[in-house]
Amino acid sequence: MRKVLLVFLALLALAANVRAQNWDPDALDLTYSEAFAMINSELAWPCQHAQRGNISSAFGPRVYSTGRDDFHRGLDIYAFQTNTDEDLYAVYDGVVHQKTTWSGGGHILIIKHHFTDPATGLQHTARLHEDSLRTEKWYSLYLHMRDVDRPEAGETVTAGQYIGKMGDTGKAGDVHLHLEIRLGTTCSLQYAIENEPHQTCNLMDYDPHINPMLILPILTEQEHQRPKIDQTCELSPNTDGEFLVRYNDDNPNGNRIKFEQVAQDGTVRVEHVLDFNTREGYDASSTTMLDTWEKEMPWFRPMPRLEHPDYVLGHFVVPSKFVCKKYVGDRFRITFDSAWGTEETRWVFWFGELPDEWDTSDVNEMFCSIA
Ligand SMILES: [Zn+2]
């Protein structure tokens, strides 16, 4: 199952290594969270009137009313008042990479940026995860724009500079900005698979979209920064565990959910990670879109798009058969991290204990053997 993805990653690495990497020898190799934290004070909010409270759809897993899985690769910010004359601004200093039109995205502007240390002026590099290659650039994409005032490719823009108007072009539904952040490449995974990796794409990883919350100012109130988990259904021999996952509606920064079965002496017996930015936990074999989870492992079931209260993202599901049932007394830990990945924005949830009356006849040796 992983093989397809690994072969694909190897191809991408090959393609990326072909081109010369000529960054400054003093450039630091940062994680993507560190890189965006470094430039946080230099970033600008992209809308004139619309605020955080106008975020209508978060980055990450969601499901259509038809039941089809979807992964929302950007952040939607709707107009302050419907059809208002809403100005849009560049989120950071950069150069217009492309002014274009896509059937779904409508009129689009793509701006190319670097990670420039505001203290030293040095351009640093970042990685999506530890196995991926370094990249010195990132892109901000503004979709569904009106076809007015967009700057031309090659023009320099500064953070907060006017770049055009919010609109409803393409498949937008209503007037809103769909803001995307792509790390190292303008291309998407599905483009890469359909067209084979090549240099014009500058591919650096298997899906380069990351949560645009990383470019917004970090809120100072710590409790407000934390995504949260509540238990809604007890994990039992015949029932999957269900956990309500939520965050503050103006700060949808949830990113990584880790499930662990922990022995009484504290050692971790089994673990599984879902990560929205790196797409860990997604099924890479059945779909080129990476929109569907591997559901025999712990996975995430989003609320239907239009039915959830703003602060609820969905349910984290732990299949009963995933738990290794032969270790009586084991407990479970779920750790939910924000896109920042910092300890202050982390939520840790402990629950359960494997009771001795559990039927262990269907012990899943595959997971038990991990111990
Ligand atoms: Zn969107």
Side-chain angles (χ1 to χ4, degrees):
M1 194 172 284
R2 292 257 168 239
K3 215 170 171 186
V4 177
L5 184 59
L6 288 175
V7 168
F8 183 70
L9 283 171
L11 281 171
L12 294 194
L14 200 68
N17 274 330
V18 169
R19 67 200 179 88
Q21 290 164 338
N22 54 351
W23 44 71
D24 193 303
D26 292 329
L28 300 175
D29 182 17
L30 305 169
T31 67
Y32 69 88
S33 316
E34 290 168 344
F36 281 101
M38 178 185 74
I39 61 172
N40 192 264
S41 62
E42 312 298 308
L43 295 163
W45 174 253
C47 302
Q48 181 186 13
H49 299 295
Q51 300 297 324
R52 281 172 180 268
N54 293 72
I55 293 172
S56 53
S57 188
F59 175 89
R62 63 182 185 183
V63 66
Y64 289 106
S65 49
T66 58
R68 185 165 71 84
D69 289 326
D70 181 33
F71 190 93
H72 190 219
R73 289 158 168 81
L75 183 74
D76 289 350
I77 306 166
Y78 66 91
F80 187 66
Q81 290 170 309
T82 307
N83 295 322
T84 191
D85 204 35
E86 181 84 3
D87 289 354
L88 296 178
Y89 309 118
V91 295
Y92 188 57
D93 297 352
V95 174
V96 176
H97 177 76
Q98 225 179 346
K99 171 187 162 182
T100 186
T101 302
W102 297 342
S103 60
H107 298 307
I108 292 170
L109 198 68
I110 304 176
I111 303 177
K112 176 178 165 179
H113 313 278
H114 291 89
F115 296 105
T116 307
D117 186 337
T120 64
L122 204 60
Q123 284 177 4
H124 296 310
T125 62
R127 290 174 195 263
L128 186 60
H129 55 79
E130 56 194 30
D131 298 329
S132 67
L133 294 161
R134 300 168 72 172
T135 177
E136 78 281 22
K137 58 185 184 291
W138 59 282
Y139 297 85
S140 56
L141 290 81
Y142 312 78
L143 278 67
H144 310 307
M145 294 176 73
R146 272 165 61 187
D147 192 19
V148 290
D149 302 338
R150 284 182 299 160
E152 300 296 331
E155 283 187 38
T156 300
V157 293
T158 54
Q161 182 179 322
Y162 171 66
I163 53 167
K165 300 279 187 187
M166 193 186 275
D168 60 355
T169 60
K171 291 176 189 149
D174 52 9
V175 176
H176 75 280
L177 168 67
H178 171 101
L179 176 70
E180 284 185 9
I181 302 298
R182 298 189 184 186
L183 193 65
T185 171
T186 55
C187 299
S188 62
L189 172 68
Q190 55 269 34
Y191 179 89
I193 288 175
E194 284 158 17
N195 296 279
E196 294 186 359
H198 57 75
Q199 279 182 279
T200 47
C201 230
N202 286 340
L203 289 161
M204 298 297 279
D205 222 307
Y206 65 88
D207 204 332
H209 300 78
I210 58 170
N211 193 334
M213 291 308 294
L214 283 166
I215 64 145
L216 302 188
I218 301 170
L219 295 180
T220 49
E221 193 194 330
Q222 290 198 344
E223 194 51 35
H224 206 67
Q225 278 288 97
R226 274 199 187 132
K228 295 183 182 65
I229 285 185
D230 297 311
Q231 189 165 7
T232 54
C233 167
E234 192 73 36
L235 183 66
S236 70
N238 303 311
T239 317
D240 297 342
E242 295 215 353
F243 303 86
L244 191 69
V245 173
R246 60 195 170 91
Y247 42 53
N248 293 294
D249 60 355
D250 58 352
N251 202 28
N253 61 2
N255 179 59
R256 185 180 170 90
I257 307 173
K258 180 160 79 172
F259 174 83
E260 295 164 297
Q261 178 170 346
V262 183
Q264 283 169 320
D265 67 0
T267 56
V268 175
R269 219 181 288 281
V270 182
E271 72 166 50
H272 188 67
V273 169
L274 308 183
D275 190 302
F276 302 165
N277 281 333
T278 63
R279 312 301 282 283
E280 207 172 332
Y282 276 87
D283 183 352
S285 68
S286 67
T287 167
T288 55
M289 296 286 286
L290 280 195
D291 285 342
T292 304
W293 298 103
E294 282 188 271
K295 290 177 182 168
E296 71 273 23
M297 312 291 257
W299 61 287
F300 190 81
R301 190 179 61 227
M303 292 286 193
R305 250 177 107 175
L306 299 172
E307 291 170 19
H308 60 87
D310 283 344
Y311 59 88
V312 174
L313 190 58
H315 287 90
F316 178 58
V317 181
V318 180
S320 158
K321 67 179 185 340
F322 179 78
V323 171
C324 182
K325 293 171 184 168
K326 66 185 179 189
Y327 298 104
V328 171
D330 277 11
R331 298 181 70 213
F332 308 99
R333 176 169 58 203
I334 300 177
T335 307
F336 192 16
D337 273 307
S338 79
W340 295 106
T342 56
E343 213 162 304
E344 310 83 67
T345 62
R346 179 170 301 149
W347 180 267
V348 181
F349 184 90
W350 280 96
F351 73 101
E353 193 171 293
L354 274 186
D356 51 13
E357 70 270 21
W358 265 36
D359 175 13
T360 56
S361 58
D362 65 339
V363 162
N364 191 326
E365 292 299 336
M366 179 182 137
F367 300 123
C368 292
S369 64
I370 293 172

